[in-house]
Amino acid sequence: GAVVSQHPSWVICKSGTSVKIECRSLDFQATTMFWYRQFPKQSLMLMATSNEGSKATYEQGVEKDKFLINHASLTLSTLTVTSAHPEDSSFYICSASPDSVSTEAFFGQGTRLTVV
Amino acid sequence: GENVEQHPSTLSVQEGDSAVIKCTYSDSASNYFPWYKQELGKRPQLIIDIRSNVGEKKDQRIAVTLNKTAKHFSLHITETQPEDSAVYFCAAALSGNTPLVFGKGTRLSVIA
């Protein structure tokens, strides 16, 4: 089956620093990838849609200048949390599906971000 | 936009009993309805999904029903086992490769 790999699986950073999270589709091409955020004991909420070769589309309330998304190739999207603050601490998870068929969403392992 | 409501938020059942989780959605354009099981700190795991051209789908102890007219779909787990204990999420989307809108989740506890 299709595999999506996300790194790192966990990261601790100091307030004010930036953190980059990578999402790779290992065995398929994905023009579009999605980034979700999940706070403790809550549901997954879509943050943004990452589009290869063009600007990401952000959901209402998500600051595009704080959460930088780059989708430079058909197999890699990155999410950079800039000037991180403790309230950004969350579980970030990406998903993608093969371009060729409309199948299920394949999720990365998720990244647990803790800002101290 | 799409809004997905999920009930109950917590559910406790005795081992061997059945568990039912219900979801409603608002956007009649949605055609894809997956169910996920998520364990603490892990990615959501697809357990079953259904598309709008089907009313019911079954996979061993798990079944999903869809009523497009009423805009609701349900997850049925029979003969529950302790390892079924987890958080379950329903979701709705236009298709399998479009953004998912999740319900708030149901914490299922199966008591041995």
Side-chain angles (χ1 to χ4, degrees):
Chain A
V3 178
V4 174
S5 179
Q6 185 175 341
H7 293 282
S9 56
W10 61 270
V11 58
I12 301 173
C13 71
K14 291 184 178 181
S15 288
T17 62
S18 296
V19 173
K20 180 186 284 188
I21 302 169
E22 292 188 347
C23 179
R24 293 182 185 273
S25 55
L26 297 187
D27 51 1
F28 65 93
Q29 293 184 335
T31 302
T32 303
M33 295 185 179
F34 304 103
W35 288 96
Y36 297 87
R37 179 168 55 183
Q38 184 177 31
F39 291 109
K41 297 187 178 181
Q42 294 188 24
S43 186
L44 289 83
M45 295 291 291
L46 179 70
M47 296 178 66
T49 299
S50 174
N51 303 297
E52 187 269 336
S54 65
K55 291 182 179 180
T57 304
Y58 292 83
E59 294 301 296
Q60 191 172 11
V62 178
E63 301 175 54
K64 61 177 172 43
D65 294 330
K66 180 172 182 63
F67 298 98
L68 302 180
I69 291 173
N70 186 286
H71 195 150
S73 77
L74 288 172
T75 59
L76 173 65
S77 174
T78 60
L79 169 67
T80 301
V81 183
T82 63
S83 186
H85 291 283
E87 56 265 32
D88 298 323
S89 298
S90 188
F91 189 59
Y92 293 84
I93 189 163
C94 66
S95 77
S97 299
D99 284 341
S100 56
V101 293
S102 174
T103 59
E104 63 185 270
F106 294 93
F107 288 92
Q109 301 96 313
T111 298
R112 170 72 57 194
L113 170 64
T114 302
V115 184
V116 297
Chain B
E2 176 67 278
N3 181 52
V4 177
E5 299 283 342
Q6 181 172 347
H7 299 280
S9 56
T10 60
L11 179 61
S12 291
V13 297
Q14 292 288 330
E15 182 178 1
D17 287 351
S18 296
V20 180
I21 303 171
K22 298 182 178 183
C23 287
T24 60
Y25 63 99
S26 61
D27 189 349
S28 57
S30 291
N31 286 306
Y32 178 61
F33 307 94
W35 285 90
Y36 296 93
K37 176 183 181 182
Q38 188 180 33
E39 297 177 349
L40 192 62
K42 301 288 182 64
R43 77 184 95 191
Q45 174 192 356
L46 179 70
I47 57 172
I48 197 166
D49 58 12
I50 193 166
R51 298 176 194 275
S52 60
N53 57 345
V54 176
E56 185 174 355
K57 185 176 178 181
K58 188 174 181 180
D59 182 4
Q60 299 182 3
R61 298 186 296 110
I62 295 173
V64 57
T65 58
L66 171 65
N67 183 326
K68 280 224 77 178
T69 302
K71 297 199 196 70
H72 65 71
F73 55 114
S74 302
L75 176 71
H76 304 252
I77 305 174
T78 59
E79 301 172 27
T80 53
Q81 302 164 2
E83 50 266 38
D84 294 329
S85 297
V87 179
Y88 291 80
F89 291 98
C90 63
L94 292 176
S95 68
N97 56 5
T98 59
L100 292 162
V101 177
F102 289 85
K104 292 190 183 302
T106 297
R107 179 169 299 279
L108 173 64
S109 299
V110 180
I111 304 165

